[in-house]
Amino acid sequence: MTNTVQMLETYPAEIGLERQQLAKVIDTLTNCAQTCTACADACLSESADELPRLARCIRDNLDCADICTTTSSVLSRHTGYDARVTHAQVQAAIQATKTCGDSCQEHAEHHEHCRICAQACRETEQALNDLLPHVEPSGQAPRQPSQAAPQQG
Amino acid sequence: MTNTVQMLETYPAEIGLERQQLAKVIDTLTNCAQTCTACADACLSESADELPRLARCIRDNLDCADICTTTSSVLSRHTGYDARVTHAQVQAAIQATKTCGDSCQEHAEHHEHCRICAQACRETEQALNDLLPHVEPSGQAPRQPSQAAPQQG
Amino acid sequence: MTNTVQMLETYPAEIGLERQQLAKVIDTLTNCAQTCTACADACLSESADELPRLARCIRDNLDCADICTTTSSVLSRHTGYDARVTHAQVQAAIQATKTCGDSCQEHAEHHEHCRICAQACRETEQALNDLLPHVEPSGQAPRQPSQAAPQQG
Amino acid sequence: MTNTVQMLETYPAEIGLERQQLAKVIDTLTNCAQTCTACADACLSESADELPRLARCIRDNLDCADICTTTSSVLSRHTGYDARVTHAQVQAAIQATKTCGDSCQEHAEHHEHCRICAQACRETEQALNDLLPHVEPSGQAPRQPSQAAPQQG
């Protein structure tokens, strides 16, 4: 059990997103990041026969872990929300989970850690795709000037 | 539900730590990091009257989030385990969660997000303290040379 | 002086990008990340009168620092290169540096740290925009299967 | 050229450390983090013959990159300074750069990227050791309550 929903519920200003969905995306991202970090390390400890063909998978795991962690942090902040940043970072995470999910899937039959990691990437990619339309920048509305404190904006 | 236990169970070499305990520490750290990131942002959106007295709490949240994320990653890697690195990073995380827990506790009565975050820090500090004796460097045993691939070590 | 160029020159396989340009982008990103981390903290220590109007700037600094750090790491990896991930993450960094540069620019006359940070964001945004056409995914060429080790690919 | 010195000089409150030395440590840490990220990836692209014996080196690179990035961020924040957190995190970075420097040194004759990375780790370890006495917690002085805004503390 994480605190993600509780932290969204106690945020003192408005959040323009549905909180249950947002919490699920954040939790999925942090789980995916940890799974990718662990999968990269599990690949590193495979036999000398196996390791060379896992090199690209390790690289994709490392990118995916970094990108999911950063995306989770961006989605955990709501002060002075700029949909353009959120949207672009969510798109990067969709691509990273797709690429890493594909890499891990290639090894899923031989390595159980890759099978679990591929599944985590697929779930995260799906959750991010479901969120994407809700973080679409309007294109018209510039953010209010930050000279106004956020709670008075 | 996270994949942490599953990833530990499918790691292809030995792990010198009890896997249920280790998984709990990793999950507690990733939850604490997300809670601290969210608490820093919630503080930023408090009223202009409140914000100045939350400055130190925000700083402690940011340090604690970074340190917990890094410590979770270090604990998620088992290849070529060096207890000295793990031990030192766990000690840093114990101090970061203690400092941040103290800061948030000061504001727990006024801000529910600080109350929840203080509790997450306390739980993480406790879980790390429970783990600490198990990652004690022996002092005598140097690591095996890395010329041996890990699975043959 | 950083090691970025040297590390690119000693990379044992091909890099499909011009190394001097790539090194400059990586160094610009790591500098921007550090500057944003420092600017967020400098804002936190401004007077109680000033702090509330800096809340959004702090948030943008935190996003920009995280996104620049991750983008620098993605650009520092070349094994199993997938242009689609690089391209998407570079686009996210372009937006993050634009948003943060705009926020800091609003405070550049009053706060020297915001003026320096706005400039770092502008330089990074420019360097990323110059890189963007070189990381364009071709759309046609799927990556080679990772069953081939990268050096034999 | 980085902005690290400029950002320290424009910080609006006191910093209890010598700014030139602190800037040097921060720059050394961010360079070491990038070098370790690049070295891990260069190792991943070595030949199938070489890769298995580099597994531990890759793992040490990944830990060292994460720990150096976090330590750089902690040292870039001065609001509500707590020497106990800084001291513990600097100690973790000393150990991580020592461990990673030792690992890379073992491969320095065969891999130029490991030679450069070992040198970056040694320089960072030295810079951190020079800083360590200056971030020693006094043991007696508790931090002032954060109810006082930092600039009024």
Side-chain angles (χ1 to χ4, degrees):
Chain A
M1 273 293 295
T2 68
N3 295 323
T4 315
V5 168
Q6 280 184 289
M7 291 305 286
L8 290 171
E9 282 169 357
T10 59
Y11 178 72
E14 277 196 40
I15 298 178
L17 298 165
E18 206 276 299
R19 294 174 190 217
Q20 289 291 335
Q21 180 186 28
L22 184 56
K24 196 195 143 202
V25 175
I26 293 170
D27 286 349
T28 304
L29 282 163
T30 53
N31 179 54
C32 192
Q34 198 278 331
T35 305
C36 286
T37 298
C39 189
D41 184 69
C43 289
L44 274 183
S45 280
E46 290 292 347
S47 71
D49 275 0
E50 288 290 314
L51 183 50
R53 76 175 58 117
L54 293 166
R56 198 187 75 188
C57 185
I58 294 170
R59 186 260 156 98
D60 292 333
N61 274 318
L62 298 178
D63 277 3
C64 197
D66 286 348
I67 290 173
C68 286
T69 299
T70 284
T71 308
S72 169
S73 295
V74 170
L75 290 173
S76 299
R77 298 183 187 116
H78 316 291
T79 304
Y81 176 67
D82 182 346
R84 297 168 302 171
V85 175
T86 302
H87 193 261
Q89 189 56 47
V90 166
Q91 282 188 308
I94 288 171
Q95 184 59 58
T97 49
K98 175 166 177 37
T99 292
C100 187
D102 289 350
S103 272
C104 281
Q105 189 59 45
E106 291 180 27
H107 309 287
E109 284 185 33
H110 292 90
H111 303 300
E112 189 68 2
H113 50 83
C114 285
R115 190 190 62 73
I116 298 164
C117 192
Q119 195 178 335
C121 289
R122 299 307 189 210
E123 284 171 15
T124 308
E125 186 189 350
Q126 185 61 57
L128 290 164
N129 270 314
D130 293 346
L131 181 69
L132 196 65
H134 302 286
V135 296
E136 198 75 45
S138 65
Q140 272 83 345
R143 293 194 299 169
Q144 296 178 355
S146 63
Q147 269 80 11
Q151 68 287 355
Q152 302 160 344
Chain B
M1 272 294 295
T2 68
N3 294 323
T4 316
V5 168
Q6 279 184 290
M7 292 305 286
L8 290 171
E9 281 170 357
T10 58
Y11 178 73
E14 277 197 41
I15 298 177
L17 297 166
E18 206 276 299
R19 293 173 191 219
Q20 290 291 335
Q21 180 185 26
L22 184 55
K24 196 195 143 203
V25 175
I26 292 170
D27 286 349
T28 305
L29 282 163
T30 54
N31 179 53
C32 192
Q34 197 277 330
T35 307
C36 287
T37 298
C39 189
D41 183 69
C43 289
L44 274 183
S45 280
E46 290 291 347
S47 71
D49 274 2
E50 288 291 312
L51 183 51
R53 76 175 58 116
L54 293 165
R56 198 185 76 189
C57 185
I58 294 170
R59 185 261 156 96
D60 291 334
N61 274 317
L62 298 178
D63 277 4
C64 196
D66 285 348
I67 290 173
C68 286
T69 298
T70 285
T71 309
S72 169
S73 295
V74 170
L75 290 174
S76 298
R77 297 182 188 116
H78 315 292
T79 303
Y81 176 66
D82 182 346
R84 297 168 301 170
V85 174
T86 303
H87 193 261
Q89 189 56 46
V90 165
Q91 283 188 308
I94 288 170
Q95 184 59 58
T97 49
K98 175 166 178 37
T99 291
C100 187
D102 289 349
S103 272
C104 282
Q105 190 59 45
E106 290 179 29
H107 308 288
E109 285 185 31
H110 292 91
H111 303 299
E112 190 69 1
H113 51 81
C114 284
R115 190 190 63 74
I116 298 165
C117 191
Q119 196 178 335
C121 288
R122 299 306 189 211
E123 284 171 14
T124 309
E125 185 189 350
Q126 185 61 54
L128 291 163
N129 270 313
D130 292 347
L131 181 69
L132 196 65
H134 303 285
V135 296
E136 199 74 47
S138 66
Q140 271 82 347
R143 293 196 297 169
Q144 294 179 356
S146 62
Q147 270 79 13
Q151 69 287 356
Q152 303 160 345
Chain C
M1 274 292 295
T2 68
N3 295 323
T4 316
V5 168
Q6 280 185 288
M7 293 305 286
L8 290 171
E9 282 169 357
T10 58
Y11 178 73
E14 278 197 41
I15 298 178
L17 298 166
E18 207 276 300
R19 293 174 192 219
Q20 290 291 335
Q21 181 186 27
L22 183 56
K24 198 197 142 203
V25 176
I26 292 169
D27 286 349
T28 304
L29 282 164
T30 53
N31 179 53
C32 192
Q34 198 278 328
T35 305
C36 287
T37 298
C39 189
D41 184 68
C43 289
L44 273 183
S45 280
E46 291 291 349
S47 70
D49 274 2
E50 289 290 313
L51 184 50
R53 76 175 58 115
L54 294 165
R56 199 187 74 189
C57 185
I58 293 170
R59 187 261 156 96
D60 292 334
N61 274 318
L62 297 178
D63 276 4
C64 196
D66 285 349
I67 290 173
C68 285
T69 298
T70 284
T71 309
S72 170
S73 295
V74 170
L75 290 173
S76 298
R77 298 184 187 116
H78 315 291
T79 303
Y81 176 67
D82 182 346
R84 297 168 301 171
V85 174
T86 303
H87 194 263
Q89 189 57 46
V90 165
Q91 283 188 308
I94 288 171
Q95 183 59 58
T97 50
K98 177 166 176 35
T99 292
C100 187
D102 289 349
S103 272
C104 281
Q105 190 59 45
E106 290 180 28
H107 308 287
E109 284 185 33
H110 292 90
H111 302 300
E112 189 67 2
H113 50 83
C114 284
R115 190 190 61 74
I116 298 164
C117 192
Q119 196 178 332
C121 288
R122 299 306 190 210
E123 285 171 14
T124 308
E125 186 189 350
Q126 185 62 55
L128 290 163
N129 270 313
D130 293 347
L131 181 70
L132 195 64
H134 303 285
V135 296
E136 199 74 44
S138 65
Q140 272 81 348
R143 295 194 298 169
Q144 295 178 355
S146 64
Q147 270 80 10
Q151 68 287 353
Q152 302 160 344
Chain D
M1 273 293 294
T2 67
N3 294 322
T4 316
V5 168
Q6 280 184 287
M7 291 305 286
L8 290 172
E9 281 169 358
T10 58
Y11 178 72
E14 277 197 41
I15 298 178
L17 298 165
E18 208 276 300
R19 292 174 191 217
Q20 290 291 336
Q21 181 185 25
L22 183 56
K24 198 196 141 202
V25 176
I26 292 169
D27 286 349
T28 305
L29 282 163
T30 53
N31 179 54
C32 192
Q34 197 278 328
T35 306
C36 287
T37 298
C39 189
D41 183 69
C43 290
L44 273 183
S45 280
E46 290 292 349
S47 71
D49 275 2
E50 288 291 312
L51 184 50
R53 76 175 59 117
L54 293 165
R56 199 187 74 189
C57 186
I58 294 170
R59 185 261 156 96
D60 292 333
N61 274 318
L62 297 178
D63 276 3
C64 196
D66 284 349
I67 290 173
C68 285
T69 298
T70 285
T71 309
S72 169
S73 295
V74 170
L75 289 173
S76 298
R77 298 184 187 116
H78 315 292
T79 304
Y81 176 67
D82 182 344
R84 296 168 302 170
V85 174
T86 303
H87 194 262
Q89 189 56 46
V90 166
Q91 282 188 308
I94 288 171
Q95 184 59 58
T97 50
K98 178 167 175 36
T99 292
C100 187
D102 289 350
S103 272
C104 281
Q105 189 59 45
E106 289 180 29
H107 309 287
E109 284 185 32
H110 292 90
H111 303 299
E112 190 67 2
H113 50 82
C114 284
R115 191 191 61 74
I116 298 164
C117 192
Q119 196 177 334
C121 288
R122 298 307 189 211
E123 284 171 15
T124 308
E125 185 189 351
Q126 185 61 54
L128 290 164
N129 270 313
D130 293 346
L131 182 69
L132 195 64
H134 302 285
V135 295
E136 198 74 45
S138 65
Q140 271 82 348
R143 294 195 298 168
Q144 295 178 353
S146 63
Q147 269 79 11
Q151 69 287 355
Q152 302 160 342

